Amino acid sequence: MNAAAEQVKFRVERDVLAEAVTWTTKALPQRPSVPVLTGVLIAAESDGTVRLSVFDYEVSSRTEIAAEVEAPGTFLVSGRLLADIAKALPNQPVTLELNGGKVDLSCGSSRFSLMTMPVDEYPALPVVPEPTGTLASSAFQHAVGQVAIATSKDDTVPILTSVRVEIEGDKVSLLATDRYRLAVREFTWNPASPDISRAALIRGRTLADAAKSMGGDIRISLSETGGKEMLAFSSNGRETTSLLVEGDYPKVRSLFPKDAPITAVIETAALREAVRRVALVAERNTPIRFEFAEGALTLRAGAGDDAQASESLPAEITGGDITTGFNPVFISEGLAQMGHQYVRFSMTEPKKSVVITGQEEPTGEHDDSYRYLLMPIIRF
């Protein structure tokens, strides 16, 4: 990368700058391997475009904004410091000007002088290839949110902190598990090639952040860069890239039971609220008891001398009575992602996994485009 220009100067609206810097610097590494990776690279073009970029060799974020560029060029300054300053500025136009080894920032009567870092030591940004496919960002955000809840929070097993992305033509599947639950979401998109067949592993946090920040149609690119595979997302002047996680993802699809002789259908909103109330007395790591019997689901929590709670809801039960139990957080998070009026529990035995899906009618067909599998906790 070329060294910074001797003079750079541009003017931009405060809200535009603050939003761009805040979004871009979310990707800054927590523990950078070299000091320059704490910086945000700012390049002002003569056509009035200013590009902001961060990159830590694995994940990159880039966005572009419109500005009045008086002198084009590039500089590198502390990303978090600039973000904090931009958010605190008065609501007036902001001028940034490179003077020697510092960047002078002025906004109204506020003045700041920031030390720069060497641009030529910053890593070359990855090139975003042509899209592999596109879809509406709202649909993508919803799908990612449904599976991201099931990614592991334990970084010692990177594979389980990831989401597996499977692409087969116009069908995309997202899969995530933390050993105790499994979420699978399937949807359609517009592939660049109708016969594409690819699979990728990407960190759940990176995927969720990318999905939340995009608007309009999102373009997704799966390609190879520098000998490593990369997944890229771009929309409305924003781009995020991430190297893929290496390793073999567990064959989680085999966890779904072939048959589920017992089913129960309950109104989703009512169940969510009942779980929220009953969970108030559930001690940490203790389950909520789910008793499916005689046309009703009864929830119970607490035991002995501790606080106790119970609540019953009408349920359409077929195949017999069954009693099981679930982690209150896991069942609540799964129910929160169900977008249908009713939720179906498909069960085999009290100690075996339960599959939760949504449906629009109490006796209608269920929608298996989103499946949430949960391992019971039997500790009564």
Side-chain angles (χ1 to χ4, degrees), residues 164-377:
R164 179 172 169 87
V165 182
E166 298 176 349
I167 302 172
E168 293 291 339
D170 66 351
K171 180 181 176 182
V172 179
S173 300
L174 305 179
L175 304 91
T177 184
D178 60 4
R179 292 195 185 98
Y180 308 105
R181 51 184 169 167
L182 164 64
V184 177
R185 178 70 162 92
E186 298 173 342
F187 56 91
T188 57
W189 74 334
N190 300 308
S193 172
D195 57 353
I196 186 172
S197 178
R198 301 287 297 274
L201 282 178
I202 183 170
R203 288 177 179 80
R205 190 180 301 112
T206 302
L207 184 64
D209 288 345
K212 290 176 184 176
S213 63
M214 303 291 178
D217 286 340
I218 181 169
R219 300 178 295 281
I220 302 176
S221 306
L222 182 59
S223 66
E224 186 173 296
T225 177
K228 294 186 177 182
E229 285 197 305
M230 176 185 76
L231 199 57
F233 310 90
S234 55
S235 175
N236 291 350
R238 291 179 172 180
E239 294 178 346
T240 295
T241 71
S242 176
L243 293 182
L244 301 184
V245 176
E246 297 181 351
D248 296 324
Y249 202 70
K251 300 186 184 303
V252 293
R253 290 185 183 273
S254 62
L255 297 176
F256 288 105
K258 294 181 180 179
D259 298 302
I262 303 173
T263 64
V265 179
I266 308 101
E267 189 176 356
T268 307
L271 179 56
R272 286 177 60 183
E273 287 301 304
V275 168
R276 182 182 63 82
R277 286 188 287 268
V278 173
L280 293 174
V281 302
E283 295 292 331
R284 185 178 181 182
N285 297 324
T286 61
I288 294 179
R289 181 170 173 145
F290 277 59
E291 301 173 357
F292 298 92
E294 300 178 356
L297 164 62
T298 300
L299 307 177
R300 301 186 191 276
D305 295 332
D306 297 327
Q308 300 177 40
S310 66
E311 187 164 341
S312 295
L313 300 168
E316 294 281 345
I317 302 173
T318 60
D321 299 343
I322 188 171
T323 297
T324 187
F326 302 110
N327 176 301
V329 174
F330 291 174
I331 187 66
S332 295
E333 289 182 341
L335 292 173
Q337 296 300 329
M338 296 292 167
H340 296 76
Q341 186 172 354
Y342 293 89
V343 61
R344 173 187 290 203
F345 289 73
S346 299
M347 299 165 281
T348 54
E349 299 176 16
K351 294 184 179 181
K352 291 192 174 180
S353 59
V354 173
V355 180
I356 305 172
T357 52
Q359 61 189 62
E360 288 303 326
E361 301 292 338
T363 57
E365 289 296 317
H366 67 120
D367 179 4
D368 62 0
S369 65
Y370 178 55
R371 292 175 288 170
Y372 186 72
L373 180 147
L374 194 54
M375 295 303 298
I377 302 176

